[in-house]
Amino acid sequence: MDTSDIHLESALDEYNQKVYDLESTGSESEELLEAYVNRGCVLYMMEYRTSAMDDLESASEVLENLQKQGYEADVGTFVRIHATMASILFDQESDCTGEYELVSRRLGELDAHSRHFDRRSIVNLCIDACKNLIDSEASDMALPFVEKGLSIVQGHPDPWSRNRTVELLDLHAEAMTDLSETSEAVELYSQSIDLAMELMDRGQLEDPEELIMAFVMRAEGEADLGLMEPYIKDVESAITILEHMMEFNRMPDPEVLVSLHHDVAGALMKVGRVKDAEKHLMSAMRIGVQGAGDRMDLRGPGQS
């Protein structure tokens, strides 16, 4: 058991005792509310999702009853309950949109002084919500979370904030693509690419694959808009980065590079640049042969 698991087990023991003691009094209180929230979050981190959901539903019920008595809950407690419930529902392949709708209504109140949150955890919440809502085909609901996240990180000079800005711009662009706002998506990808390239030049880009994906997604948007030359340029930019990663054995799947070479070759053929297309096809063939050779080396002689 690693250190984090030991810490979670210790925290769970502590919250189990606290919940037991507070439930024994027979009365609902702010302390019981927070104990349910804290234990639910720990259970979720330990991947006990059903038990976590039980605690968070209990917390939501206690909160509702306390509010009827005039208690004003900290917005952070409300958001933490419903955002975590939304994440659990998404993990269980259930509808998470209702819980995220509740969260979005109070996003404007949430700040770094809210209970259960600091600046970074609010941004991470927004990113997770965007991803889950886009995957749930509710891209329109992701927009308030994009706006909230960007309002916190955009313009800040530290690498963490700038990398999160890249991530949020890409998510915004993906949502716009889903909403058939192709031109706006292309512009958002352009903003993301400009910032990511600057970070890469400084050695501060956390995930080069994020940049590659932005180039590819912008290219797809440009193709939809009939902009073939920008499409070709963007795919070739993605190829250049992938080839650099391949030199350092950092590319997860050579088939991605092969596919991009074929895609750009097809586009080059359409615009009459046959010789350039042939170069990409040859490159794809070389990568394919090299990949097959690598697989044979891994199997060893006499193995199939």
Side-chain angles (χ1 to χ4, degrees):
M1 186 180 292
D2 62 29
T3 305
S4 61
D5 290 336
I6 293 170
H7 175 73
L8 288 173
E9 291 283 359
S10 175
L12 182 59
D13 289 342
E14 178 186 341
Y15 291 129
N16 279 337
Q17 186 62 51
K18 193 157 192 175
V19 168
Y20 175 80
D21 291 342
L22 291 166
E23 285 181 335
S24 299
T25 67
S27 63
E28 294 180 334
S29 63
E30 181 182 359
E31 290 78 12
L32 179 59
L33 166 64
E34 292 297 333
Y36 278 137
V37 174
N38 289 327
R39 188 173 71 172
C41 289
V42 169
L43 286 165
Y44 178 54
M45 286 187 282
M46 297 175 74
E47 300 186 0
Y48 297 131
R49 294 182 178 87
T50 302
S51 297
M53 183 64 88
D54 288 342
D55 268 358
L56 294 164
E57 288 176 342
S58 295
S60 180
E61 184 178 334
V62 171
L63 176 56
E64 185 176 339
N65 292 336
L66 290 173
Q67 287 176 323
K68 289 176 182 177
Q69 301 168 27
Y71 170 74
E72 291 188 14
D74 187 288
V75 64
T77 299
F78 178 90
V79 170
R80 178 52 69 203
I81 291 170
H82 293 285
T84 308
M85 289 173 70
S87 294
I88 294 169
L89 289 168
F90 178 80
D91 291 346
Q92 294 174 333
E93 300 183 355
S94 299
D95 183 11
C96 63
T97 57
E99 294 300 324
Y100 277 128
E101 172 64 25
L102 293 174
V103 174
S104 68
R105 293 176 190 171
R106 302 199 65 180
L107 268 182
E109 305 168 55
L110 194 65
D111 62 30
H113 302 292
S114 301
R115 187 173 288 176
H116 299 285
F117 286 94
D118 57 20
R119 177 176 174 270
R120 290 193 176 199
S121 59
I122 295 172
V123 174
N124 289 331
L125 160 69
C126 291
I127 289 171
D128 289 342
C130 288
K131 290 177 179 178
N132 292 349
L133 287 165
I134 289 170
D135 286 349
S136 299
E137 300 183 352
S139 294
D140 56 327
M141 293 182 64
L143 300 182
F145 293 94
V146 170
E147 291 167 8
K148 179 69 174 183
L150 286 174
S151 73
I152 296 172
V153 297
Q154 214 160 23
H156 286 264
D158 61 286
W160 185 88
S161 294
R162 303 186 87 201
N163 276 280
R164 299 294 78 71
T165 300
V166 167
E167 198 169 357
L168 284 160
L169 287 169
D170 286 342
L171 288 166
H172 195 180
E174 186 175 353
M176 288 295 100
T177 299
D178 291 345
L179 297 170
S180 301
E181 299 288 347
T182 306
S183 295
E184 187 171 348
V186 168
E187 173 56 30
L188 288 163
Y189 280 125
S190 296
Q191 293 176 34
S192 167
I193 288 167
D194 288 346
L195 179 53
M197 290 292 287
E198 184 180 335
L199 286 166
M200 187 166 67
D201 289 343
R202 296 183 179 188
Q204 296 175 339
L205 183 63
E206 292 177 7
D207 186 3
E209 290 182 41
E210 189 92 22
L211 175 57
I212 294 164
M213 185 56 64
F215 272 122
V216 171
M217 295 304 294
R218 185 172 72 173
E220 289 186 5
E222 289 161 341
D224 289 342
L225 295 170
L227 305 172
M228 292 310 296
E229 288 299 335
Y231 167 87
I232 291 167
K233 183 179 178 181
D234 276 348
V235 177
E236 288 184 331
S237 294
I239 287 170
T240 299
I241 298 169
L242 279 166
E243 287 177 338
H244 182 71
M245 292 175 68
M246 187 168 67
E247 290 175 8
F248 294 92
N249 296 316
R250 292 175 58 195
M251 189 169 62
D253 185 2
E255 287 300 318
V256 174
L257 184 53
V258 171
S259 177
L260 289 176
H261 275 299
H262 282 291
D263 289 346
V264 77
L268 288 164
M269 289 284 192
K270 287 181 181 178
V271 297
R273 292 168 57 184
V274 177
K275 289 188 179 298
D276 290 333
E278 289 174 349
K279 290 177 184 177
H280 281 284
L281 292 172
M282 290 300 296
S283 294
M285 188 181 301
R286 280 196 302 271
I287 295 164
V289 170
Q290 180 181 338
D294 290 343
R295 288 192 291 274
M296 290 173 65
D297 290 341
L298 287 170
R299 286 196 297 266
Q303 297 183 40
S304 59

